[in-house]
Amino acid sequence: MAALVSDELEALAAIFCGPQEWEVLSRSETDGTVFRIHTKAEGLGDVDIPLELVFQLPATYPLCLPRISVNSELLTRAQCETVKDMLLEQAETLLSEPMVHELVLWLQQNLRYILNQPEPRKGSSQDAFAVSPAMDDGLWLALLRLDHMRAKTKYIRTVQKWASDLRLTGRLMFMGKIILILLQGHRSNIKEYLMLQKTSKVDVDSSGKKCKEKMISVLLETKVQTEHTRFLAFEVKEYSVWDDLQKEFEAAGLQKLFSEFVLGLVK
């Protein structure tokens, strides 16, 4: 258990690496580990809600639930308690495996729906607050650029697996030395993909050692518009001429994106 917790803490520290996003408050053999995460989630009216989440992982975690407290300057005490209760109910479905990151992602994806629910009655089941996977705030699109791939075959397999696991569609596109990744899916899943892309040892360096991707550029993140075509799968494509790459974007209704973000790369 200690090794699992240690690995999870290390991963969380790498994920929440921004200023004041992560802080370990205490460690004890009897009381476990207590840490704080500062993050944001979309609330009602598309307002970003700042959240302070404090987790205490008991010595028997993850075979038991973590203790959780939720605070936010934009939520009432009752709303914070509701969010905490929902997190604990979600945690029950993840017992026996490290779950903190999953819980934070779940909250970022579902906070607006939790806040939009009526006050629960005592004794009501968790189904009163169940969030349907179909409920989302629409598709998002991200365009990424990679500088290079040394271990190309392995890198491509990894990107395909991440896209499949996160239910993302789109394209991995090669045009000469230009490498682009076009993703469509729920915003939180795209964010998780970016986290994986930046924190996983997905390539090798010039000496052949595994290394993290340090040369990725996020060219664009935006909601999918009505004129955009929805990709049905994630595909890997290589283009021999520039016009073919342009036609791929045009077929998807992304002519403006191509002109603004891709055309200049060939110069």
Side-chain angles (χ1 to χ4, degrees):
M1 296 301 167
L4 275 177
V5 172
S6 178
D7 289 346
E8 182 175 18
L9 293 176
E10 184 177 342
L12 290 169
I15 295 165
F16 300 102
C17 57
Q20 300 182 334
E21 281 188 338
W22 164 264
E23 181 183 5
V24 176
L25 302 177
S26 66
R27 291 188 180 184
S28 164
E29 290 186 4
T30 55
D31 297 329
T33 303
V34 182
F35 55 88
R36 176 165 49 213
I37 293 173
H38 283 105
T39 188
K40 291 182 179 180
E42 189 175 312
L44 300 176
D46 296 331
V47 174
D48 281 341
I49 305 294
L51 296 166
E52 179 188 82
L53 308 173
V54 177
F55 292 85
Q56 180 180 355
L57 308 184
T60 54
Y61 170 89
L63 297 179
C64 69
L65 296 178
R67 298 185 181 92
I68 304 173
S69 71
V70 178
N71 289 285
S72 174
E73 60 189 20
L74 297 184
L75 300 181
T76 65
R77 185 182 297 274
Q79 287 174 321
C80 288
E81 283 297 309
T82 297
V83 171
K84 182 192 77 171
D85 291 343
M86 293 305 302
L87 280 172
L88 288 172
E89 289 180 0
Q90 183 67 14
E92 289 179 353
T93 69
L94 301 170
L95 278 173
S96 80
E97 60 187 69
M99 66 181 75
V100 174
H101 186 225
E102 288 293 324
L103 292 175
V104 175
L105 286 175
W106 181 87
L107 180 57
Q108 289 173 333
Q109 184 172 339
N110 293 302
L111 178 63
R112 63 186 301 184
Y113 305 114
I114 296 173
L115 298 179
N116 200 36
Q117 294 287 340
E119 190 90 12
R121 299 186 304 274
K122 284 196 173 183
S124 62
S125 71
Q126 71 183 65
D127 290 340
F129 277 87
V131 179
S132 166
M135 295 173 65
D136 61 32
D137 53 358
L139 286 175
W140 277 69
L141 177 147
L143 179 65
L144 319 176
R145 183 189 181 188
L146 299 178
D147 184 75
H148 61 270
M149 286 184 183
R150 286 194 174 93
K152 185 175 178 180
T153 302
K154 178 180 179 295
Y155 205 132
I156 290 174
R157 284 201 303 265
T158 301
V159 169
Q160 289 175 314
K161 183 179 186 305
W162 288 342
S164 175
D165 290 347
L166 294 169
R167 296 192 292 266
L168 297 173
T169 60
R171 300 286 186 269
L172 170 56
M173 300 173 284
F174 296 88
M175 172 63 214
K177 294 183 179 181
I178 295 173
I179 307 171
L180 300 172
I181 301 176
L182 192 59
L183 298 172
Q184 280 185 357
H186 196 283
R187 191 180 189 185
S188 65
N189 291 350
I190 290 177
K191 291 292 186 185
E192 185 171 0
Y193 176 93
L194 290 172
M195 180 274 296
L196 289 168
Q197 183 81 67
K198 293 177 180 178
T199 61
S200 302
K201 292 184 177 180
V202 67
D203 205 1
V204 296
D205 62 19
S206 56
S207 64
K209 293 181 180 178
K210 292 182 179 180
C211 65
K212 297 176 182 178
E213 179 58 71
K214 297 180 179 179
M215 302 184 72
I216 181 172
S217 302
V218 180
L219 302 180
L220 176 71
E221 255 190 291
T222 186
K223 278 190 174 182
V224 171
Q225 306 301 313
T226 54
E227 66 268 21
H228 298 163
T229 300
R230 179 165 183 174
F231 294 113
L232 300 179
F234 186 85
E235 299 179 23
V236 180
K237 293 197 171 185
E238 299 208 24
Y239 308 90
S240 56
V241 295
W242 192 251
D243 285 348
D244 289 344
L245 178 62
Q246 183 173 352
K247 288 175 183 177
E248 182 78 52
F249 278 81
E250 290 175 349
L254 300 171
Q255 299 95 322
K256 185 177 179 182
L257 186 153
F258 180 86
S259 298
E260 291 183 5
F261 298 97
V262 181
L263 195 56
L265 299 178
V266 75
K267 297 177 182 178

